[in-house]
Amino acid sequence: GESVGLHLPTLSVQEGDNSIINCAYSNSASDYFIWYKQESGKGPQFIIDIRSNMDKRQGQRVTVLLNKTVKHLSLQIAATQPGDSAVYFCAENMAGGTSYGKLTFGQGTILTVHP
Amino acid sequence: DAGVTQSPTHLIKTRGQQVTLRCSPKSGHDTVSWYQQALGQGPQFIFQYYEEEERQRGNFPDRFSGHQFPNYSSELNVNALLLGDSALYLCASSLFYNEQFFGPGTRLTVL
């Protein structure tokens, strides 16, 4: 079945360090992957996405890497700041068929950035 | 642009009652999806509405139903509430199958 999971439930870093959050997915038919940030009391906020025909995509201070061979996704945050402290979710979206548009979320990783 | 808005912010109900949650999508969006997020978990897809019809549904019982109006706003209805229905209910809007923008959610507590 469809599932998206995370290796690490918590990550604690110092301000200025680089952070790496990992995610494993099991559905090889997944076509589109998204990273969301969720702060306390708020809904998930889009960070960056990547399609299955790519292996890397960069945004502002963030990079997403996709390894389809091992079904692994990672989010790299450069120069992590206290404002980056939140729960990070990866989500997958299947292309075509009856599941398109349905996001399947992983458990989430709590990122804590210490000043 | 106000983004995705949801009401109410918080709600307390008792077992067996019925509840209606509301969502207004981001301007220009025509698709609304609903998710349930239990404490400490990732959101789980309930269903999605497009052109006033339910287009997809997740693994939720028929007690969960919805509606989309001509102005694209949407409602989520839950009947015969159970304690396990306590969660944050998130609405996300998108333009067809594109990026989904989430609202702040409605926190439902069932006593």
Side-chain angles (χ1 to χ4, degrees), chain B residues 8 11 13 17-21 76-81 89 108:
Chain B
L11 201 54
K13 292 286 187 178
Q17 285 189 311
Q18 178 265 344
V19 69
T20 297
L21 310 181
L76 164 65
N77 301 293
V78 186
N79 295 322
L81 285 167
Y89 288 85
L108 172 65

Side-chain angles (χ1 to χ4, degrees), chain A residues 48-59 62-68 73-74 76:
Chain A
I48 191 168
D49 59 3
I50 188 168
R51 298 205 174 269
S52 60
N53 61 353
M54 303 171 67
D55 54 19
K56 180 179 180 178
R57 191 172 186 208
Q58 289 183 298
V62 294
T63 300
V64 55
L65 299 177
L66 176 62
N67 185 330
K68 294 182 289 294
L73 189 70
S74 69
Q76 300 178 0

Side-chain angles (χ1 to χ4, degrees), chain A residues 32 36 38 41-44 46 51 89 93 98-103 105-107, chain B residues 33 35 37 40-43 45 48 56-58 88 90 97 99-100 102-104:
Chain A
Y32 176 53
Y36 284 95
Q38 187 173 25
K42 298 182 178 179
F46 174 91
R51 298 205 174 269
F89 293 98
N93 192 343
T98 59
S99 295
Y100 204 77
K102 167 187 172 183
L103 293 179
F105 283 80
Q107 181 183 3
Chain B
S33 303
Y35 293 80
Q37 186 176 23
Q41 302 293 321
F45 178 82
Q48 183 179 78
Q56 293 193 65
R57 190 178 183 91
L88 180 68
L90 295 162
Y97 286 126
E99 178 189 334
Q100 295 186 23
F102 283 82

Side-chain angles (χ1 to χ4, degrees), chain A residues 2-109:
Chain A
E2 301 168 13
S3 68
V4 179
L6 294 172
H7 295 304
L8 301 173
T10 62
L11 179 63
S12 185
V13 300
Q14 290 295 128
E15 182 178 1
D17 287 351
N18 296 331
S19 301
I20 299 176
I21 301 172
N22 297 300
C23 176
Y25 66 94
S26 61
N27 196 331
S28 58
S30 295
D31 172 75
Y32 176 53
F33 303 88
I34 314 105
W35 281 100
Y36 284 95
K37 171 186 180 183
Q38 187 173 25
E39 297 174 285
S40 180
K42 298 182 178 179
Q45 176 186 0
F46 174 91
I47 300 173
I48 191 168
D49 59 3
I50 188 168
R51 298 205 174 269
S52 60
N53 61 353
M54 303 171 67
D55 54 19
K56 180 179 180 178
R57 191 172 186 208
Q58 289 183 298
Q60 187 176 18
R61 286 201 303 118
V62 294
T63 300
V64 55
L65 299 177
L66 176 62
N67 185 330
K68 294 182 289 294
T69 302
V70 295
K71 298 178 186 173
H72 184 267
L73 189 70
S74 69
L75 175 69
Q76 300 178 0
I77 305 174
T80 315
Q81 303 168 359
D84 294 326
S85 295
V87 180
Y88 288 80
F89 293 98
C90 63
E92 66 176 303
N93 192 343
M94 288 177 58
T98 59
S99 295
Y100 204 77
K102 167 187 172 183
L103 293 179
T104 301
F105 283 80
Q107 181 183 3
T109 291

Side-chain angles (χ1 to χ4, degrees), chain B residues 6 21-23 32-35 45-47 74-76 90:
Chain B
Q6 292 185 243
L21 310 181
R22 296 175 176 83
C23 171
V32 174
S33 303
W34 286 92
Y35 293 80
F45 178 82
I46 303 175
F47 42 53
S74 177
E75 288 182 348
L76 164 65
L90 295 162

